[in-house]
mmCIF file of all heavy atoms in Angstrom:
data_model
loop_
_atom_site.group_PDB
_atom_site.id
_atom_site.type_symbol
_atom_site.label_atom_id
_atom_site.label_comp_id
_atom_site.label_asym_id
_atom_site.label_seq_id
_atom_site.Cartn_x
_atom_site.Cartn_y
_atom_site.Cartn_z
ATOM 1 N N LYS A 5 -18.718 -17.001 -22.130
ATOM 2 C CA LYS A 5 -18.608 -15.899 -23.065
ATOM 3 C C LYS A 5 -17.910 -14.741 -22.374
ATOM 4 O O LYS A 5 -18.334 -14.293 -21.319
ATOM 5 C CB LYS A 5 -20.013 -15.490 -23.514
ATOM 6 C CG LYS A 5 -20.040 -14.461 -24.584
ATOM 7 C CD LYS A 5 -21.483 -14.190 -25.005
ATOM 8 C CE LYS A 5 -21.526 -13.168 -26.103
ATOM 9 N NZ LYS A 5 -22.903 -12.879 -26.502
ATOM 10 N N GLU A 6 -16.815 -14.259 -22.968
ATOM 11 C CA GLU A 6 -16.096 -13.119 -22.409
ATOM 12 C C GLU A 6 -16.896 -11.848 -22.658
ATOM 13 O O GLU A 6 -17.434 -11.653 -23.749
ATOM 14 C CB GLU A 6 -14.708 -13.005 -23.029
ATOM 15 C CG GLU A 6 -13.769 -14.128 -22.656
ATOM 16 C CD GLU A 6 -13.396 -14.114 -21.186
ATOM 17 O OE1 GLU A 6 -13.250 -13.031 -20.616
ATOM 18 O OE2 GLU A 6 -13.253 -15.208 -20.628
ATOM 19 N N VAL A 7 -16.973 -10.992 -21.657
ATOM 20 C CA VAL A 7 -17.697 -9.740 -21.786
ATOM 21 C C VAL A 7 -16.679 -8.606 -21.777
ATOM 22 O O VAL A 7 -15.881 -8.488 -20.854
ATOM 23 C CB VAL A 7 -18.696 -9.563 -20.622
ATOM 24 C CG1 VAL A 7 -19.394 -8.229 -20.730
ATOM 25 C CG2 VAL A 7 -19.691 -10.706 -20.606
ATOM 26 N N ASP A 8 -16.690 -7.768 -22.814
ATOM 27 C CA ASP A 8 -15.794 -6.625 -22.899
ATOM 28 C C ASP A 8 -16.464 -5.444 -22.226
ATOM 29 O O ASP A 8 -17.446 -4.904 -22.734
ATOM 30 C CB ASP A 8 -15.464 -6.311 -24.359
ATOM 31 C CG ASP A 8 -14.414 -5.231 -24.491
ATOM 32 O OD1 ASP A 8 -13.853 -4.811 -23.464
ATOM 33 O OD2 ASP A 8 -14.136 -4.824 -25.625
ATOM 34 N N GLU A 9 -15.974 -5.061 -21.054
ATOM 35 C CA GLU A 9 -16.578 -3.968 -20.305
ATOM 36 C C GLU A 9 -15.963 -2.614 -20.650
ATOM 37 O O GLU A 9 -16.395 -1.593 -20.150
ATOM 38 C CB GLU A 9 -16.425 -4.225 -18.806
ATOM 39 C CG GLU A 9 -17.161 -5.461 -18.361
ATOM 40 C CD GLU A 9 -16.973 -5.742 -16.890
ATOM 41 O OE1 GLU A 9 -16.234 -4.999 -16.215
ATOM 42 O OE2 GLU A 9 -17.553 -6.724 -16.411
ATOM 43 N N LEU A 10 -14.973 -2.603 -21.528
ATOM 44 C CA LEU A 10 -14.305 -1.368 -21.903
ATOM 45 C C LEU A 10 -15.190 -0.580 -22.870
ATOM 46 O O LEU A 10 -15.719 -1.121 -23.831
ATOM 47 C CB LEU A 10 -12.966 -1.687 -22.568
ATOM 48 C CG LEU A 10 -12.030 -0.528 -22.814
ATOM 49 C CD1 LEU A 10 -11.636 0.133 -21.501
ATOM 50 C CD2 LEU A 10 -10.788 -1.009 -23.530
ATOM 51 N N GLU A 11 -15.356 0.686 -22.567
ATOM 52 C CA GLU A 11 -16.180 1.541 -23.409
ATOM 53 C C GLU A 11 -15.532 1.684 -24.790
ATOM 54 O O GLU A 11 -14.314 1.736 -24.919
ATOM 55 C CB GLU A 11 -16.341 2.916 -22.766
ATOM 56 C CG GLU A 11 -17.039 2.874 -21.418
ATOM 57 C CD GLU A 11 -18.490 2.435 -21.521
ATOM 58 O OE1 GLU A 11 -19.138 2.704 -22.540
ATOM 59 O OE2 GLU A 11 -18.982 1.818 -20.562
ATOM 60 N N PRO A 12 -16.329 1.787 -25.849
ATOM 61 C CA PRO A 12 -15.774 1.852 -27.202
ATOM 62 C C PRO A 12 -14.945 3.110 -27.468
ATOM 63 O O PRO A 12 -14.100 3.114 -28.356
ATOM 64 C CB PRO A 12 -17.007 1.819 -28.108
ATOM 65 C CG PRO A 12 -18.168 2.022 -27.237
ATOM 66 C CD PRO A 12 -17.768 1.741 -25.837
ATOM 67 N N GLU A 13 -15.163 4.172 -26.714
ATOM 68 C CA GLU A 13 -14.401 5.393 -26.969
ATOM 69 C C GLU A 13 -12.946 5.304 -26.509
ATOM 70 O O GLU A 13 -12.140 6.167 -26.820
ATOM 71 C CB GLU A 13 -15.072 6.623 -26.327
ATOM 72 C CG GLU A 13 -15.201 6.562 -24.826
ATOM 73 C CD GLU A 13 -16.565 6.074 -24.362
ATOM 74 O OE1 GLU A 13 -17.281 5.422 -25.127
ATOM 75 O OE2 GLU A 13 -16.896 6.354 -23.198
ATOM 76 N N TYR A 14 -12.577 4.261 -25.788
ATOM 77 C CA TYR A 14 -11.190 4.086 -25.371
ATOM 78 C C TYR A 14 -10.456 3.264 -26.424
ATOM 79 O O TYR A 14 -10.498 2.057 -26.439
ATOM 80 C CB TYR A 14 -11.107 3.390 -24.017
ATOM 81 C CG TYR A 14 -11.726 4.164 -22.899
ATOM 82 C CD1 TYR A 14 -12.822 3.669 -22.200
ATOM 83 C CD2 TYR A 14 -11.224 5.396 -22.531
ATOM 84 C CE1 TYR A 14 -13.392 4.386 -21.170
ATOM 85 C CE2 TYR A 14 -11.784 6.123 -21.502
ATOM 86 C CZ TYR A 14 -12.865 5.613 -20.827
ATOM 87 O OH TYR A 14 -13.423 6.335 -19.815
ATOM 88 N N ASP A 15 -9.774 3.943 -27.332
ATOM 89 C CA ASP A 15 -9.016 3.276 -28.389
ATOM 90 C C ASP A 15 -7.534 3.398 -28.047
ATOM 91 O O ASP A 15 -6.900 4.418 -28.311
ATOM 92 C CB ASP A 15 -9.318 3.918 -29.740
ATOM 93 C CG ASP A 15 -8.623 3.198 -30.884
ATOM 94 O OD1 ASP A 15 -7.970 2.158 -30.624
ATOM 95 O OD2 ASP A 15 -8.726 3.671 -32.020
ATOM 96 N N PHE A 16 -6.989 2.374 -27.449
ATOM 97 C CA PHE A 16 -5.608 2.410 -26.997
ATOM 98 C C PHE A 16 -4.612 2.461 -28.155
ATOM 99 O O PHE A 16 -3.476 2.868 -27.979
ATOM 100 C CB PHE A 16 -5.306 1.221 -26.083
ATOM 101 C CG PHE A 16 -6.031 1.309 -24.771
ATOM 102 C CD1 PHE A 16 -7.049 0.426 -24.469
ATOM 103 C CD2 PHE A 16 -5.712 2.284 -23.856
ATOM 104 C CE1 PHE A 16 -7.729 0.511 -23.265
ATOM 105 C CE2 PHE A 16 -6.380 2.388 -22.653
ATOM 106 C CZ PHE A 16 -7.398 1.492 -22.362
#
Side-chain angles (χ1 to χ4, degrees):
K5 186 177 181 181
E6 292 293 324
V7 177
D8 186 6
E9 297 178 358
L10 190 61
E11 298 294 329
E13 61 263 21
Y14 297 117
D15 184 4
F16 292 111

